[in-house]
Amino acid sequence: MQVAEIEQMDKRFVLPTYGRQNISITAGKNARLKDSEGKEYIDFTSGIGVVSIGHGNERLASALCNQVQHITHISNLYLIEPQALCAQKIVQNSGYDMQCFFANSGAEANEGAIKIARKYGEVDGEMKRYKIITLEHSFHGRTITALKATGQEAMHNYFGPFPDGFVYADTIDEIASLLDDHTVAVMIELVQGEGGVQPLDRQKVQQLAAMLRQKNILLIVDEVQTGVYRTGEFLASQLYDIEPDIITLAKGLGGGLPIGVVMTSKKEVFKAGDHGSTFGGNYLSTTAANVVLEVLHAYKESGILDEMMLYFESKVTACQREFPELFLESVGFGMMRGLRMHSADALANLINGSREEGLLVLKAGKNTLRFLPPLTITKDEIDEGFVRLKRAIDTL
Ligand SMILES: *Cc1c(COP(=O)(O)O)cnc(C)c1O
């Protein structure tokens, strides 16, 4: 189909919730993409942090083909071998004494986390503690409750009434003063992704974790974007050297298949019937996740992941130094990087200009150019991407 035809059909039949760019990507190999008109791109987005082992991964393709030929879905009423294996891998990689529940997305994983916290706050069937504190500029998803947990007032227009019991702290420093007898949990991203690639201070996070532990208030870390090696360690929680009570994962875990996980050390909270999902953790999504976890574990062990992350960082910081009139500062960790820009208009122009030069990049917050490349991006692909970014800068 011609791009114009797809565009017309999309406008006619799909609800207009996205500000879409009118290209149609039809194939990819690692960090290189091709659209329906044969134009090539370098991918610094990985489908918003999802395609962690690159496009067109052959191991993933053959594992999925093989699985589909046997069984795709059977429901959680029966044992699912790849789900059990996936949970084992996640728990072992984390080093935490936890168990997993499988969902289908980040928002859904966070809903599970909130349900665990709320039930934990019950005493003898009575809701004693229910308040959950989240941060300003956070992003936790689009379902009604995850949206309410999201500390961005502008996103709360229209959809009320919302579930009660969410309180927003301006900064991590303000959290302590908001804790009261009704507080059951604090939920944070260690690096705010959608909010603008904003890492929290490591020492402050450690102090917060220690204080919460002392008060028996749960720490929920939303690792939907930071998890699965995005910041260099399997979990950003490991990078920050903390032990959360509940962690959520999603984006990079399935290599493109929809999957979400909530894992917790509070294994006794959920009883049979307290939570569930029709699709969650089915054969297909967990088979994909198992390939992703194997590929990335080996990649991390080999040292190449760390090497490429350092290389990517050096290119981002060099870019900031070369164009200080455009870029205020370089932010982020690992393969979760951003360039804070002086002007939001220049950012919009740069995203469009990059696409025209054959480079896909993202926006975060109001004025941050965001890079979330596949974790398996090669040196050549990184080099080519920055050549194209500079060409786009030259045409601004
Ligand atoms: C993307 C994201 C979500 C929402 O994930 P969905 O799969 O879109 O529901 C939640 N939390 C964080 C930190 C995210 O980056």
Side-chain angles (χ1 to χ4, degrees):
M1 233 188 278
Q2 296 287 310
V3 172
E5 270 180 276
I6 307 172
E7 189 184 341
Q8 222 175 17
M9 204 180 280
D10 179 85
K11 284 217 160 63
R12 170 77 178 78
F13 295 109
V14 180
L15 285 171
T17 56
Y18 302 103
R20 279 189 168 137
Q21 305 175 40
N22 290 317
I23 57 172
S24 160
I25 304 291
T26 49
K29 198 76 207 161
N30 205 34
R32 290 180 191 271
L33 294 169
K34 211 175 251 181
D35 74 12
S36 54
E37 308 195 316
K39 185 176 164 75
E40 289 183 324
Y41 303 85
I42 295 290
D43 184 13
F44 279 2
T45 73
S46 64
I48 322 188
V50 166
V51 188
S52 48
I53 60 172
H55 299 278
N57 182 285
E58 278 164 26
R59 253 181 88 179
L60 180 58
S62 74
L64 288 174
C65 285
N66 180 55
Q67 189 58 56
V68 172
Q69 283 167 352
H70 289 92
I71 191 151
T72 303
H73 179 92
I74 194 66
S75 90
N76 283 300
L77 298 176
Y78 309 96
L79 289 171
I80 300 170
E81 182 178 332
Q83 182 184 118
L85 283 169
C86 187
Q88 182 189 39
K89 285 196 177 78
I90 289 169
V91 169
Q92 286 179 348
N93 285 344
S94 78
Y96 303 133
D97 180 17
M98 292 188 171
Q99 288 185 332
C100 300
F101 173 89
F102 287 86
N104 311 285
S105 67
E108 238 187 280
N110 286 337
E111 292 274 340
I114 292 163
K115 279 180 72 175
I116 293 171
R118 288 276 171 88
K119 187 162 181 214
Y120 183 76
E122 276 192 12
V123 180
D124 303 328
E126 208 184 316
M127 187 57 85
K128 297 282 189 200
R129 296 194 292 154
Y130 58 89
K131 268 193 204 168
I132 297 176
I133 297 172
T134 68
L135 284 176
E136 215 45 67
H137 306 297
S138 56
F139 183 78
H140 298 297
R142 300 285 192 160
T143 57
I144 289 279
T145 307
L147 193 60
K148 184 63 180 173
T150 292
Q152 301 187 42
E153 282 299 341
M155 292 176 76
H156 299 161
N157 294 333
Y158 317 122
F159 306 111
F162 288 98
D164 280 339
F166 289 91
V167 178
Y168 313 114
D170 281 341
T171 62
I172 187 168
D173 302 310
E174 207 207 352
I175 292 176
S177 67
L178 296 174
L179 304 177
D180 63 20
D181 291 346
H182 298 295
T183 308
V184 71
V186 170
M187 179 157 157
I188 55 174
E189 299 155 89
L190 294 172
V191 186
Q192 291 187 336
E194 306 304 313
V197 195
Q198 187 59 55
L200 298 186
D201 181 79
R202 189 164 179 270
Q203 205 183 341
K204 285 182 182 176
V205 169
Q206 289 176 351
Q207 284 164 354
L208 173 71
M211 178 183 64
L212 295 179
R213 170 108 337 146
Q214 199 218 334
K215 293 181 187 291
N216 189 27
I217 293 171
L218 302 180
L219 175 60
I220 305 173
V221 179
D222 177 349
E223 296 231 29
V224 167
Q225 193 160 147
T226 55
V228 197
Y229 301 100
R230 179 56 60 183
T231 67
E233 296 300 324
F234 176 62
L235 299 172
S237 295
Q238 296 165 311
L239 195 68
Y240 276 70
D241 198 18
I242 54 168
E243 281 197 35
D245 302 285
I246 304 175
I247 296 171
T248 55
L249 302 173
K251 291 192 166 88
L253 180 60
L257 270 85
I259 190 167
V261 168
V262 51
M263 58 197 288
T264 182
S265 56
K266 303 294 179 205
K267 302 171 195 171
E268 70 292 347
V269 175
F270 273 167
K271 303 280 190 282
D274 279 339
H275 199 40
S277 166
T278 299
F279 293 111
N282 83 5
Y283 276 96
L284 219 51
S285 61
T286 52
T287 293
N290 286 331
V291 173
V292 168
L293 291 170
E294 279 160 30
V295 167
L296 292 178
H297 188 265
Y299 203 59
K300 169 77 181 168
E301 291 294 301
S302 74
I304 309 175
L305 178 65
D306 292 329
E307 198 184 308
M308 285 304 124
M309 283 182 165
L310 280 176
Y311 188 67
F312 198 86
E313 175 182 21
S314 72
K315 298 295 268 190
V316 177
T317 50
C319 197
Q320 192 275 325
R321 264 185 261 116
E322 192 175 341
F323 304 101
E325 69 289 352
L326 265 184
F327 304 120
L328 208 63
E329 59 174 342
S330 152
V331 287
F333 296 128
M335 293 288 188
M336 184 173 181
R337 297 262 163 205
L339 284 168
R340 201 87 74 221
M341 296 186 68
H342 292 287
S343 141
D345 288 341
L347 173 58
N349 292 335
L350 186 53
I351 290 172
N352 288 327
S354 295
R355 190 184 60 249
E356 276 155 29
E357 293 296 338
L359 172 69
L360 301 186
V361 289
L362 295 162
K363 175 187 169 180
K366 283 194 182 64
N367 62 336
T368 305
L369 176 65
R370 177 170 51 152
F371 308 115
L372 291 173
L375 301 179
T376 52
I377 193 168
T378 64
K379 194 162 176 288
D380 278 356
E381 291 162 345
I382 295 172
D383 287 342
E384 183 59 31
F386 279 95
V387 166
R388 294 179 188 188
L389 182 65
K390 273 180 205 171
R391 266 194 243 133
I393 289 170
D394 288 340
T395 60
L396 275 183

